[in-house]
Amino acid sequence: MMTNSFFDLSGRTALITGGGSGLGKNIAEVYAEYGANIAVCSRKLANCQETAEDLERRFGIKAKAYECDVSNEQQVEKTVAEVLQDFGAIDILVNNSGATWGEFAENMPLEAWQKVMNVNVTGTFLMSKAVGKHMIGNGYGKIINIGSTAGLKAESPEVLNAIGYSTSKAAVHHFTKDLARKWAGHGLYVNAIAPGFFETKMTKQTIAKHADKIISRNPMKKLGEPKSLQGVALFLAGAASDYVTGQIIAVDGGSSL
């Protein structure tokens, strides 16, 4: 475990939505490495349980898994209450749960649009609201929303054809800025990470079809690696970012430039 005070998370508790796999799991791993206790939740409890057990074994921290649909307010409030009962506090919240739907805009079903918005936007709001009340009471908290470079620029349909997803991530970016402005006086920090193309379950098909095109258009000529995201997530969770709020940090090799 590292002890550099800029990045030391000892004694902190982080709640990470969608933390059982993909980018959420990567973030949970680096927080645990730097001493944080970890609560992970998602609709798939088994993944979260496997991750929690792995983190406890590897890093000697306390970790626990919870089943939660972030678009359901009752489930969100129940999960947050359980985490607070089990850990005593939530110091760091990572809103990472996400959904996508690939389709031409003219053919996208309303149900698909609503599903993406409910998870990506409403879920981020509901979890921030529930955890934010606790953080405001404590006078401290770090909220990190996972956006996307898809919410920073309009991608060509040949690479990404998911207008609900890109629109939802643009909404998450503005939500981040607005909430940061509203809660700064309470000692809360609200920032977002906008990843470019990382290989995850959500992007697997797109990368399989368009890897050469995506890489050739990237100024650094490569896809994202877990460590790239972990570094920024760690920076935003600890003391190193204590004068940073309302920012959208692209981790994309320059693809959004």
Side-chain angles (χ1 to χ4, degrees):
M1 185 184 71
M2 305 298 177
T3 56
N4 186 317
S5 61
F6 267 149
F7 304 105
D8 182 21
L9 300 179
S10 299
R12 300 293 192 189
T13 295
L15 170 57
I16 302 165
T17 72
S21 61
L23 301 183
K25 183 178 180 180
N26 295 152
I27 293 171
E29 286 173 341
V30 74
Y31 287 177
E33 181 182 350
Y34 280 76
N37 294 316
I38 305 294
V40 285
C41 71
S42 76
R43 284 167 293 181
K44 296 180 179 178
L45 182 60
N47 288 347
C48 289
Q49 287 174 327
E50 188 177 321
T51 294
E53 290 167 7
D54 179 59
L55 295 178
E56 284 193 328
R57 183 175 61 251
R58 288 167 59 198
F59 301 108
I61 52 87
K62 179 180 178 180
K64 195 163 180 181
Y66 304 84
E67 185 175 359
C68 182
D69 176 354
V70 297
S71 67
N72 182 301
E73 186 167 22
Q74 287 71 38
Q75 288 190 35
V76 167
E77 290 177 348
K78 179 175 179 286
T79 298
V80 170
E82 288 175 352
V83 174
L84 289 173
Q85 185 173 18
D86 292 338
F87 290 88
I90 300 172
D91 307 290
I92 303 156
L93 169 65
V94 180
N95 284 308
N96 169 72
S97 286
T100 189
W101 192 289
E103 182 55 275
F104 291 98
E106 63 270 27
N107 296 328
M108 180 170 284
L110 177 59
E111 316 87 77
W113 172 274
Q114 289 173 331
K115 177 189 175 183
V116 172
M117 290 295 170
N118 285 342
V119 175
N120 298 358
V121 184
T122 303
T124 297
F125 161 68
L126 290 175
M127 191 60 76
S128 298
K129 177 186 174 184
V131 175
K133 289 178 182 178
H134 163 73
M135 288 179 166
I136 288 170
N138 278 355
Y140 176 84
K142 299 262 183 171
I143 298 175
I144 300 154
N145 299 322
I146 304 302
S148 172
T149 52
L152 295 173
K153 69 170 191 174
E155 198 64 78
S156 68
E158 293 80 23
V159 173
L160 183 68
N161 203 14
I163 195 166
Y165 178 79
S166 55
T167 302
S168 74
K169 291 303 185 178
V172 167
H173 296 165
H174 189 76
F175 174 81
T176 298
K177 294 180 180 182
D178 206 2
L179 195 62
R181 186 70 183 86
K182 302 301 190 288
W183 284 355
H186 295 292
L188 275 62
Y189 303 78
V190 188
N191 292 288
I193 301 172
F197 278 101
F198 284 72
E199 193 161 340
T200 66
K201 184 179 178 182
M202 189 179 290
T203 62
K204 194 173 182 179
Q205 288 186 340
T206 300
I207 289 174
K209 289 180 183 177
H210 306 296
D212 291 343
K213 193 176 294 184
I214 292 167
I215 292 169
S216 69
R217 293 180 180 182
N218 187 292
M220 295 183 74
K221 305 301 180 190
K222 61 181 182 180
L223 298 172
E225 300 172 350
K227 285 185 178 180
S228 311
L229 194 77
Q230 288 175 325
V232 177
L234 181 62
F235 165 71
L236 291 175
S241 58
D242 277 356
Y243 199 51
V244 178
T245 197
Q247 301 306 302
I248 317 301
I249 302 178
V251 184
D252 65 349
S255 66
S256 58
L257 298 174

